[in-house]
Amino acid sequence: MSTEAAAVAARPVAAARHRALALTCSVVGAAVVALDGTVLTVAQPVLQRDLGAGLGQVQWTSTGYLVAVAGLLVFAGRLGDRYGHRRVFAVGCLGFAAASAGIAAAPGIGTVIALRVAQGVAGALLQPATLGMLRAAYPPERLGMPVALRTSAIGLAAAAGPLVGGALVGAYGWRAVFLIGVAPTAALALLCLALPERRPAPGTSDTRGLGALDLPGACLLGLALACLVHGLVTGTPVALAVAVLAAVLLVRHERRAPHPLLPPALLRPGPVAAGLGALLAVSAALSGTLFAATYLFQDALGLTPMETALRMAPLAVALVLGAPVSAVLQRRLGARATATGGALLTALGVLLLGRPGVTDSGPVTGACAALIGAGFGAVMVTATSVVVHRAPPGHAGVAGGLQQTAMNTGPVLGVTLASLLPASGHALPALAAVAVLAAPAALALPGRRGDADTPPAP
C-alpha cells in the first residue's frame, strides 16, 4: 500500500478517535461541573460551622462562582474559536482541578471564596469548549445524539449530587466534596494535551492577534452579565443599574467593532437566537419550580429533605432517559416540533404541580415532575443542537458560550421570580407561563427539512 493510500485509509480511524475524545471530554467535563454545583449545596451548612463563617460569606461561595462563570462564558468560547477548543478545555480542566484541590485544603472562608471565583473562571473556560468540540467533531446530521448524551450526563450528575455530597460530608467532612472533580478533570486535561489539536478548516478561524478577540466587548459583556447575576442573587439595585449601562455600551461598541465578540449572524432573528430564547425560558421555569416546590413540600407539607428529593426524583429520571429519545424525535419530526412539544410539556407539568391538592399525593407529584423533566430535556437537547449546529463554524465556541450563558442566567431569573411570589401561591402558575414563553421561540426553530441546512455565513 502506498503512503498516500495508507494516509487515506487512516483518516476514518483518526476521525472516529477524534469524535470519541470530543464526546468523552464533553460528557465528563459537563457532568463534573454539574456535580460540583449540587454537592456544594449539601456541604455549605457544615462548611459554615467548621470555618466559623457567616451566612453571607457562605452564600458568596456560590455567588462568586456564578458571577465569574456568567462574565466569562462567551469570551471563553471566543478563545476556543481562535486557539482551539481542546486546548482551552485542557486549560480549564487544569484550573478546575487545581482550584478544587485548593478549596479542599483552604484554611478559611476567605480562601474558599477566592478559590471558588478561580474555579468559576476555569469552569467558564471548559464549558463552551464541551460544545465547541462536538461541533468540530460531528457532522450536523449526527450532532443530536452526542448533545443528548451530554444532557443525560448533566441530569444524572445533578440528581446524584445531593446523595453523593451527603454521603461524603457525613463520612469525611465538607472538604471531601471538592475532591470529586480533581482526578477526572486532571486526567481529561492531560489526555487533551497529549494529542495534537485538529487544525480548523480554512476560513473558520481568525488569528489576527488580540484585536480579533474584541477585548473591550468582552469586558463590557462580562461586566453586564456578572452584574446582572450579582444583582439578581443579592437584590442589589446598583448592580442591576450597572448591568443595564454596560449592556447599552456593549451594543454601541459591537456595532462599530471590526471583529465583534457577538457576530451579527448569531444575534439576528433566526434559529440561533430562537434556540437561546427557548433555553433561557425553560431553564428559568425549571429552576424556579424546584425552588418553589422545595419550600412548598418542606414548609407547607412538613416533608423532610429526603422525602422532597424522592418526590422530585422522577424529574431527573425523565430527563436522563428522555434526552436520547429527544434526539431521535428531532431527527424524525424536526427541531421545531420537538422543542415546541417539550416547552408545552414543561409548562403543563409545572401548572399541574401548582394545582391545589396535587402535592398531597406522592405518585401524582412524581408524574408532574416527570412531565417537567421530559419536556425540559426535549427543549435542551433540541435547542442546544440547533444553536451549535447553525452557528458559523468559526463561531461555534461563542455559540456554546451563549448557550451556557442562557443555561446559567435562566435559573437565576427563575429563582428570583419564585422567591418574590412564594407566599401568594402564584409562583408555580407564573413559572408555567415562563415555560410557555419558550414555545414561540421553539416555533422559530428549523422544521424537519431545515435541520440540515448549511450554517449561516459569519
Side-chain angles (χ1 to χ4, degrees), residues 115-146:
L115 288 174
R116 279 289 288 172
V117 173
Q119 196 179 44
V121 174
L125 289 174
L126 70 88
Q127 288 186 60
T130 62
L131 291 172
M133 289 187 293
L134 292 181
R135 173 68 172 84
Y138 286 86
E141 67 275 7
R142 296 181 59 186
L143 191 59
M145 189 57 69

Side-chain angles (χ1 to χ4, degrees), residues 15-86:
R17 183 168 51 187
H18 178 62
R19 287 194 293 268
L21 175 62
L23 182 59
T24 300
C25 290
S26 180
V27 168
V28 177
V32 167
V33 172
L35 184 65
D36 176 82
T38 53
V39 298
L40 175 62
T41 304
V42 178
Q44 281 179 327
V46 181
L47 181 153
Q48 180 181 358
R49 291 194 297 269
D50 187 39
L51 297 181
L55 180 59
Q57 292 175 309
V58 174
Q59 288 176 337
W60 265 101
T61 62
S62 296
T63 302
Y65 179 89
L66 289 173
V67 169
V69 168
L72 292 173
L73 279 170
V74 177
F75 182 63
R78 182 64 164 255
L79 291 176
D81 288 333
R82 296 300 180 263
Y83 304 115
H85 297 296
R86 192 190 300 172

Side-chain angles (χ1 to χ4, degrees), residues 93-112:
C93 284
L94 286 175
F96 199 90
S100 299
I103 295 171
I109 189 63
T111 305
V112 172

Side-chain angles (χ1 to χ4, degrees), residues 1-12:
M1 181 182 293
S2 66
T3 303
E4 182 178 352
V8 172
R11 287 174 187 169

Side-chain angles (χ1 to χ4, degrees), residues 83-423:
Y83 304 115
H85 297 296
R86 192 190 300 172
R87 187 177 295 119
V88 173
F89 177 81
V91 172
C93 284
L94 286 175
F96 199 90
S100 299
I103 295 171
I109 189 63
T111 305
V112 172
I113 293 173
L115 288 174
R116 279 289 288 172
V117 173
Q119 196 179 44
V121 174
L125 289 174
L126 70 88
Q127 288 186 60
T130 62
L131 291 172
M133 289 187 293
L134 292 181
R135 173 68 172 84
Y138 286 86
E141 67 275 7
R142 296 181 59 186
L143 191 59
M145 189 57 69
V147 171
L149 294 176
R150 178 180 178 275
T151 301
S152 293
I154 292 173
L156 183 61
L163 300 177
V164 174
L168 287 175
V169 172
Y172 305 106
W174 66 267
R175 298 179 187 273
V177 303
F178 290 101
L179 297 176
I180 297 175
V182 173
T185 49
L188 289 177
L190 295 177
L191 179 63
C192 288
L193 292 174
L195 297 176
E197 178 85 33
R198 292 185 79 186
R199 293 184 177 181
T204 63
S205 181
D206 189 342
T207 57
R208 288 171 286 186
L210 293 178
L213 294 177
D214 188 17
L215 293 178
C219 291
L220 288 171
L221 178 61
L223 179 63
L225 291 173
C227 288
L228 174 64
V229 171
H230 178 259
L232 291 173
V233 171
T234 62
T236 307
V238 174
L240 295 175
V242 173
V244 172
L245 177 61
V248 172
L249 294 176
L250 174 66
V251 171
R252 293 185 59 186
H253 168 78
E254 292 294 281
R255 288 176 176 174
R256 303 172 182 176
H259 308 294
L261 175 68
L262 302 174
L266 292 182
L267 299 182
R268 67 169 63 106
V272 174
L276 293 173
L279 289 169
L280 184 69
V282 294
S283 62
L286 175 69
S287 295
T289 298
L290 291 175
F291 180 85
T294 298
Y295 278 90
L296 174 64
F297 292 149
Q298 296 185 27
D299 291 350
L301 301 181
L303 301 182
T304 66
M306 180 57 71
E307 290 171 334
T308 299
L310 290 176
R311 287 207 175 190
M312 297 303 291
L315 189 155
V317 173
L319 173 59
V320 172
L321 299 180
V325 176
S326 300
V328 175
L329 291 176
Q330 179 185 354
R331 183 175 295 184
R332 294 182 178 179
L333 304 178
R336 182 184 304 145
T338 305
T340 302
L344 296 178
L345 203 62
T346 303
L348 178 62
V350 176
L351 187 62
L352 292 176
L353 190 64
R355 288 177 61 86
V358 167
T359 52
D360 294 337
S361 169
V364 177
T365 299
C368 294
L371 289 176
I372 297 170
F376 174 80
V379 178
M380 184 175 177
V381 168
T382 306
T384 298
S385 61
V386 169
V387 168
V388 177
H389 163 217
R390 295 298 294 256
H395 298 298
V398 172
L402 289 171
Q403 187 271 353
Q404 291 292 312
T405 298
M407 296 300 297
N408 280 271
T409 306
V412 178
L413 294 171
V415 171
T416 300
L417 176 61
S419 65
L420 294 175
L421 300 172

